Amino acid sequence: MADKPIMTTSGGAPIADNQNSLSAGPRGPLLLQDYQLLEKLAHQNRERIPERVVHAKGWGAHGTLTITGDISAYTKAKVLQPGAQTPMILRFSTVAGEAGAADAERDVRGFAMKFYTPEGNWDLVGNNTPVFFVRDPLKFPDFIHTQKRHPRTNLRSPTAMWDFWSLSPESLHQVTILMSDRGLPTDVRHINGYGSHTFSLINDANERFWVKFHFKTMQGHKHWTNEEAAQVVGRTRESTQEDLFEAIEQGDFPKWKVQVQIMPELEADKTPYNPFDLTKVWPHADYPPIDIGVMELNRNADNYFAEIEQLATSPSNIVPGIGFSPDKMLQARIFSYADAHRHRIGTHYEALPVNAPKCPVHHYHKDGAMRFTPNNPNPAAYYEPNSFGGPVEDNKFLEPPLRISGDADRWNHREGNDDFSQPRALFELFDPGERQRLFANIAAAMGDIPDFIEERQCKLFDQVHPDYGAGVRAARATVKDRNPSISAPTDQLLSDASA
Ligand code: NDP
Ligand code: HEM
């Protein structure tokens, strides 16, 4: 006993008995003065914070980013200079499921990184896909509602998903990726990560370049078919957590090759597609990926809640030499994440150890929940400007002016936009086996949606490639033959709604 620390209350006082509550006689009742019991129950009641509104189920680990290439001509960011080694943390996730969802589900995987750079935290909050379902953030909440539970049935609704997708042709590219082999990875060591948005790099001469970040798995890609995944979920709901945690515990550290694509600033006016449109990639032939280093995960969290659940990553966290772009989706995300963190974790969430920068921090935010950090060195300097030596701005960090033009309007993002060529390029990459699995996965995911939605969606697939539409129609016919109850226009939800 002597070598074990004495248990204390959270106030630090020793605890004499942690087995028996304080009662009047052996049979009770209990005494209100048993504050240890009250504290224990009260703490338990507060053990959960709201789960993330999206990407609630996640798995993460700490690691290192090592830069081996030289892109100093494009960026002054210290984190991207040759030889830089930066500690980081990565949280992977699925998008739609709740915190207790099974891991082996067909869904996009989140790929959210925080790099603790000497110039502040740089967060790259990406996915395992280079594109997204929508290109205007006004549609993000609507899209997410179709992925979450139906208000009446409390079930996920294929009707809602395919209704929305079939009315949103810009989703075709991402839907094709989601329904392809890569939509159901065996785990997260075998996926790529993409910053997805276009960002900017700024060099010492204060010149701007546009950039896309890619993280290519060095473990290779591995996927499950729907049938294999169903068996996995029957065996364990935590297949990804088990895989990642065990690999790192055993010293089998997963690695990703880090690449960038770089576009000179003025070329953005000349590409045949909008390079700030999140439903598009930059073709490799036009902007070849440049290898710049390796990212490795090499340390499990000691406390999942403290380090992974309370992790707060936000596209708004940039550092000198890395900037934003006009991408409308990115612009909305710059607002949305910190707002979510203040709600989900609390006002001073950035002071928690996992979120705190590993460089000095000097700001003038004042009170609020979780304010445990000390004052500025001089307590009289608690506003700005002040005469008492408080921290000041330094305009050497100003970014070059961003060229913008145009009338303020609600510009129709669908007008003149080619939603078909890039999904076609992807479809043409698939071998016959991959195409058949794509068709089968779509046919299965459509469940019992109404015929008119199915047909509207197939017409979009036709425009990507005639074989795509035909393949899905054939796969749907097979599904319906096997399950005659799927005879489309009788979708229960729709008839409920119109009754
Ligand atoms: P490339 O042939 O140069 O590149 C094809 C890319 O497709 C590779 O990066 C490959 O990733 C990726 N890929 C292969 N299978 C899948 C899949 N099932 N789901 C998602 N990605 C996959 O062609 P382009 O650059 O001209 O692009 C053609 C199409 O490839 C695009 O329309 C896009 O759909 C897709 N793609 C393009 C990317 C880009 O940045 N240009 C990035 C990712 C996808 P890997 O290297 O890991 O094998
Ligand atoms: C999580 C909003 C698009 C990747 C979240 C969260 C919000 C959000 C509110 C929860 C944050 C938290 O509680 O910590 C939005 C909005 C979007 C958008 C408003 C579009 C307008 C995207 C895109 C990507 C993405 C395009 C990827 C390219 C992620 C990831 C997480 C996340 C990976 C989980 C972060 C983590 O692991 O902590 N998003 N999102 N989101 N989002 Fe988005």
Side-chain angles (χ1 to χ4, degrees):
M1 287 294 280
D3 57 344
K4 291 189 182 169
I6 304 290
M7 187 178 166
T8 69
T9 62
S10 44
I15 287 189
D17 185 345
N18 190 41
Q19 317 305 322
N20 306 295
S21 45
L22 188 65
S23 58
R27 295 190 173 186
L30 298 181
L31 300 187
L32 185 60
Q33 75 175 60
D34 188 355
Y35 73 96
Q36 292 164 33
L37 171 66
L38 303 184
E39 281 284 299
K40 228 168 152 173
L41 294 178
H43 264 275
Q44 185 181 38
N45 286 350
R46 289 161 180 78
E47 281 179 5
R48 299 287 166 271
I49 55 176
E51 65 176 40
R52 289 166 177 78
V53 63
V54 283
H55 294 263
K57 180 71 189 279
W59 325 275
H62 297 266
T64 314
L65 171 70
T66 305
I67 300 298
T68 50
D70 186 352
I71 52 167
S72 55
Y74 304 111
T75 180
K76 61 186 175 192
K78 291 198 171 128
V79 60
L80 296 178
Q81 297 310 306
Q85 280 216 318
T86 306
M88 47 94 51
I89 186 165
L90 199 172
R91 180 177 179 272
F92 305 95
S93 48
T94 43
V95 179
E98 293 89 2
D103 293 351
E105 292 196 341
R106 180 171 298 281
D107 199 351
V108 169
R109 296 308 190 257
F111 203 100
M113 293 166 280
K114 185 183 285 297
F115 301 99
Y116 302 96
T117 94
E119 301 168 296
N121 287 349
W122 171 41
D123 295 354
L124 201 50
V125 193
N127 279 335
N128 69 331
T129 63
V131 293
F132 199 69
F133 297 95
V134 295
R135 67 164 73 90
D136 189 313
L138 205 51
K139 300 320 298 168
F140 182 79
D142 293 307
F143 163 64
I144 291 300
H145 290 162
T146 71
Q147 299 297 301
K148 295 282 187 176
R149 293 170 187 274
H150 184 285
R152 179 148 186 264
T153 63
N154 199 33
L155 298 169
R156 294 188 64 193
S157 167
T159 296
M161 295 178 203
W162 291 100
D163 191 25
F164 183 87
W165 284 334
S166 64
L167 291 167
S168 313
E170 67 273 18
S171 65
L172 271 169
H173 200 175
Q174 179 81 320
V175 166
T176 304
I177 297 174
L178 175 64
M179 296 296 158
S180 77
D181 288 347
R182 290 197 189 179
L184 184 31
T186 55
D187 55 80
V188 286
R189 293 183 300 130
H190 296 91
I191 61 173
N192 288 345
Y194 299 92
S196 305
H197 298 284
T198 297
F199 293 90
S200 45
L201 292 181
I202 296 158
N203 66 12
D204 277 326
N206 231 16
E207 295 165 322
R208 179 182 281 108
F209 299 83
W210 304 119
V211 65
K212 289 216 186 252
F213 294 96
H214 305 278
F215 296 76
K216 296 291 183 75
T217 174
M218 292 169 72
Q219 289 68 241
H221 293 276
K222 275 197 193 168
H223 337 104
W224 274 316
T225 61
N226 286 348
E227 293 69 27
E228 287 167 335
Q231 289 192 1
V232 172
V233 175
R235 205 170 59 239
T236 171
R237 297 172 62 77
E238 316 297 338
S239 47
T240 302
Q241 176 68 22
E242 289 164 3
D243 177 87
L244 182 67
F245 186 83
E246 286 306 323
I248 293 175
E249 283 300 279
Q250 287 162 19
D252 179 11
F253 300 144
K255 295 183 179 61
W256 284 261
K257 197 161 69 173
V258 186
Q259 298 180 327
V260 289
Q261 289 176 287
I262 292 177
M263 181 187 291
E265 184 175 13
L266 298 183
E267 263 182 52
D269 297 336
K270 298 179 193 143
T271 51
Y273 49 89
N274 171 4
F276 309 117
D277 174 352
L278 186 57
T279 66
K280 306 280 194 300
V281 296
W282 297 356
H284 290 156
D286 299 347
Y287 297 97
I290 304 169
D291 287 343
I292 62 163
V294 172
M295 189 259 296
E296 175 188 88
L297 295 181
N298 47 30
R299 183 164 61 88
N300 279 316
D302 291 324
N303 183 306
Y304 180 89
F305 181 85
E307 295 159 59
I308 308 299
E309 188 62 12
Q310 294 199 122
L311 176 65
T313 53
S314 169
S316 55
N317 281 336
I318 50 167
V319 291
I322 301 174
F324 303 128
S325 82
D327 179 341
K328 294 178 189 177
M329 292 286 287
L330 173 61
Q331 297 276 319
R333 295 180 73 203
I334 291 166
F335 154 73
S336 181
Y337 287 67
D339 180 57
H341 301 150
R342 282 186 282 269
H343 162 67
R344 183 169 69 83
I345 309 173
T347 309
H348 290 284
Y349 67 92
E350 281 169 310
L352 289 174
V354 73
N355 297 323
K358 297 195 192 302
C359 63
V361 174
H362 305 290
H363 60 67
Y364 288 91
H365 301 313
K366 203 162 174 275
D367 304 338
M370 296 196 293
R371 176 68 209 235
F372 54 83
T373 45
N375 289 326
N376 287 320
N378 185 343
Y382 61 95
Y383 51 89
E384 206 282 337
N386 63 68
S387 312
F388 304 106
V392 292
E393 69 207 18
D394 182 346
N395 60 22
K396 82 171 181 227
F397 296 110
L398 276 178
E399 289 190 2
L402 178 68
R403 297 160 53 249
I404 51 173
S405 65
D407 299 335
D409 203 349
R410 294 189 177 273
W411 294 88
N412 183 345
H413 65 83
R414 297 211 174 98
E415 217 164 73
N417 220 319
D418 173 2
D419 292 318
F420 305 105
S421 297
Q422 292 205 355
R424 183 176 311 127
L426 180 62
F427 183 77
E428 286 173 349
L429 281 178
F430 294 159
D431 66 27
E434 284 174 289
R435 289 188 188 188
Q436 286 308 320
R437 290 191 293 278
L438 172 73
F439 305 148
N441 291 337
I442 291 173
M446 283 180 164
D448 60 353
I449 66 173
D451 276 346
F452 76 91
I453 293 180
E454 177 181 331
E455 189 45 31
R456 190 165 60 204
Q457 183 68 44
C458 284
K459 285 201 173 105
L460 292 179
F461 292 143
D462 289 337
Q463 291 178 75
V464 174
H465 196 291
D467 294 352
Y468 195 169
V472 173
R473 285 189 180 85
R476 278 298 282 173
T478 309
V479 167
K480 287 177 182 172
D481 278 352
R482 285 200 198 127
N483 185 355
S485 69
I486 298 179
S487 63
T490 54
D491 178 80
Q492 193 55 46
L493 301 175
L494 201 77
S495 49
D496 279 358
S498 56

